[in-house]
Amino acid sequence: MHPNALLDLTTQLVREVLKLDAPADSIVSYFFRQHKALGQRERHALAETAYAVLRQRLLWAHLAQSGHGPMERRLALLAWQGQPHVLKNGITTDEGQWLERTAMIDRSTLQDKLRHNLPDWISNSLREQLGAEEFWQLIETFSAGAPLDLRVNAVKAKREAVLENLVAAGIPAVPTPYSPIGIRIEGKPALQKMSIYTDGHVEVQDEGSQLLALLTGAKRGEMVVDFCAGAGGKTLALGAMMRNTGRLYAFDISGHRLENLKPRLARSGLSNVYATQIAHENDDRIKRLRGKIDRVLVDAPCSGLGTLRRNPDLKWRQSPKAIEELQVKQKAILNSAARLLKPGGRLVYATCSLMPAENEVVANAFTAEHEDFVQLDAREKLEQAGVTQAESLVTAAGHLRLWPHRHATDGFYAVAWEKKA
């Protein structure tokens, strides 16, 4: 495709994602369905441009004020700035001169807001939690994208064998530093065509997400509930920890998300999973299990702000009011899930958020209101699950707290309690 035509299409896609009226990944997918003639390389270029614009929106919108033509085209040009071979054939002389002028601007002299590209309410909270130096380290990781992590399905394979298979296929792969069942891969290989994927030996899962499953400590023959299962990444991890024994209930209010679990479940070889759509956190199907469950994982609905490396649109689509509403829902779900546990059972509350309002505030309120639960030390429980360097993952309060710039995972939070006997 001629660079000019590709630039026109990129401008269209940027215009669509900047409406912020739906998740960016669904807008990109829909756009590609409308343009079936696009090749793989062109799709990659368009998607990367759209995500780059979402990451750098404030800075590039500021720089684009000095140019001419549609704003979305100028934003796309800024995203393409590092690709002179593409730009040479697709832009006007004026646009080329404008790009040269913007490249000369010393970004470090610009105001903070243009450098961190975050709404004030998010940047203020992160700066307060981390301090100035670490705050800017975190900002760098948001712009860098995320590595590809795999979880080895222990029911079917061993990590060493999978690593050998990947290296033999010319794919650079290393063990994850914390999770004993994880592998980190460089680049974006065509994994779905490989036998280790089609045969269910591995699943794509961020190392942080693996650690949440490991914190539950699920064992053979137990009754376990994944309370907000979604597409089932943690469900599959729990099922493998249980060695395909016992009963594992995957609850979610979205039938569509549970449908997406089916092909993954088939590949995994697990037969101990019972996926069930529920109407709400007090559904009768949940009430029947009260007091019978050994482990419950509540991966609560949250802002998702820990996933900004992958989903940069979330910082523009969330708000303080949305966080307040989520907190009410999180507390209700956690209280309902707690009723399922038998004495001695373990409850884990988790989010992929960086906001204390969704994390420590919810967890501390639960601890204060439930004298029949005692909080566990996450470090001890992670070490028991074979996690290495667990002390670097846990706060002074004994909560799991993962940061993209410290741990190279998405931003995750988790706390575990045991129901008193």
Side-chain angles (χ1 to χ4, degrees):
M1 181 180 286
H2 190 275
N4 210 15
L6 191 62
L7 183 56
D8 287 343
L9 273 179
T10 307
T11 301
Q12 286 180 41
L13 179 57
V14 168
R15 184 174 292 121
E16 290 303 314
V17 297
L18 286 179
K19 289 177 183 174
L20 301 170
D21 54 5
D25 57 352
S26 62
I27 293 172
V28 171
S29 297
Y30 179 74
F31 190 86
F32 289 161
R33 287 198 299 274
Q34 303 299 105
H35 298 85
K36 290 194 167 75
L38 286 168
Q40 194 59 41
R41 189 178 294 178
E42 292 156 343
R43 287 167 184 256
H44 178 74
L46 262 72
E48 288 298 306
T49 303
Y51 280 99
V53 169
L54 288 165
R55 287 190 179 99
Q56 306 292 338
R57 179 182 165 209
L58 294 180
L59 171 63
W60 287 352
H62 171 77
L63 297 176
Q65 286 171 14
S66 62
H68 299 287
M71 169 65 83
E72 294 84 6
R73 181 179 170 95
R74 282 174 272 160
L75 294 171
L77 289 173
L78 286 166
W80 284 16
Q81 208 162 22
Q83 304 178 58
H85 60 289
V86 180
L87 289 171
K88 191 170 66 177
N89 300 316
I91 63 174
T92 65
T93 306
D94 279 353
E95 286 173 331
Q97 291 170 347
W98 169 71
L99 277 176
E100 285 175 14
R101 289 196 302 275
T102 60
M104 302 284 287
I105 295 169
D106 181 355
R107 310 287 166 100
S108 67
T109 63
L110 298 172
Q111 58 177 298
D112 278 4
K113 188 163 186 166
L114 299 177
R115 291 170 59 209
H116 62 57
N117 279 281
L118 292 170
D120 288 341
W121 67 276
I122 297 178
S123 66
N124 291 342
S125 173
L126 295 177
R127 213 186 287 255
E128 190 179 313
Q129 294 179 69
L130 293 170
E133 186 180 339
E134 271 203 274
F135 170 75
W136 289 109
Q137 290 171 13
L138 177 61
I139 296 305
E140 278 183 40
T141 66
F142 286 160
S143 299
L148 179 65
D149 290 350
L150 307 179
R151 176 186 56 79
V152 177
N153 178 4
V155 172
K156 287 191 167 186
K158 287 194 161 43
R159 180 158 72 169
E160 294 73 24
V162 174
L163 279 166
E164 285 172 17
N165 196 312
L166 287 164
V167 172
I171 298 170
V174 294
T176 45
Y178 310 108
S179 168
I181 50 174
I183 290 173
R184 182 157 292 156
I185 286 178
E186 282 181 38
K188 299 247 167 62
L191 189 71
Q192 289 168 328
K193 295 177 181 170
M194 295 183 68
S195 60
I196 55 167
Y197 181 83
T198 55
D199 294 344
H201 292 191
V202 296
E203 269 288 334
V204 175
Q205 187 178 28
D206 184 82
E207 184 182 18
S209 185
Q210 296 176 33
L211 294 172
L212 301 187
L214 290 165
L215 184 58
T216 64
K219 292 186 172 64
R220 289 175 181 271
E222 291 187 332
M223 297 261 283
V224 178
V225 169
D226 187 353
F227 205 81
C228 308
K234 296 178 193 69
T235 305
L236 298 173
L238 292 169
M241 287 170 69
M242 297 162 70
R243 292 297 189 271
N244 202 17
T245 63
R247 289 176 79 87
L248 172 55
Y249 295 93
F251 291 134
D252 203 274
I253 58 171
S254 168
H256 174 67
R257 284 199 293 260
L258 290 175
E259 277 296 311
N260 291 339
L261 170 58
K262 284 184 179 175
R264 301 172 78 189
L265 199 54
R267 280 198 309 274
S268 74
L270 296 176
S271 56
N272 63 339
V273 177
Y274 299 84
T276 308
Q277 185 178 358
I278 55 173
H280 45 71
E281 70 269 14
N282 293 311
D283 192 295
D284 283 344
R285 277 163 286 206
I286 294 169
K287 287 179 180 175
R288 289 188 206 118
L289 296 173
R290 278 187 183 174
K292 298 177 181 177
I293 305 298
D294 296 288
R295 322 262 169 176
V296 179
L297 171 60
V298 178
D299 181 17
C302 70
S303 64
L305 292 172
T307 67
L308 288 180
R309 299 181 305 171
R310 305 171 199 277
N311 305 302
D313 56 313
L314 286 175
K315 60 188 175 185
W316 310 119
R317 297 178 58 236
Q318 291 292 3
S319 68
K321 188 173 188 301
I323 301 285
E324 284 176 27
E325 291 168 358
L326 281 164
Q327 190 189 81
V328 173
K329 189 181 290 186
Q330 288 155 354
K331 287 179 175 177
I333 290 171
L334 186 53
N335 286 331
S336 178
R339 297 186 193 113
L340 295 174
L341 286 149
K342 61 169 68 166
R346 186 181 303 178
L347 173 64
V348 174
Y349 171 77
T351 75
C352 54
S353 173
L354 301 172
M355 297 289 112
E358 300 181 85
N359 297 335
E360 289 87 351
V361 172
V362 174
N364 293 340
F366 180 87
T367 300
E369 293 163 13
H370 291 78
E371 292 182 358
D372 53 335
F373 280 83
V374 59
Q375 190 202 301
L376 301 171
D377 178 13
R379 173 183 172 176
E380 180 189 324
K381 299 307 169 190
L382 288 168
E383 285 174 347
Q384 287 172 5
V387 173
T388 50
Q389 305 176 65
E391 71 281 354
S392 65
L393 311 173
V394 177
T395 68
H399 304 180
L400 174 67
R401 197 74 149 83
L402 302 175
W403 292 93
H405 67 290
R406 287 182 193 169
H407 306 111
T409 65
D410 284 338
F412 282 105
Y413 170 86
V415 61
W417 298 270
E418 187 173 290
K419 187 169 184 181
K420 292 179 183 174

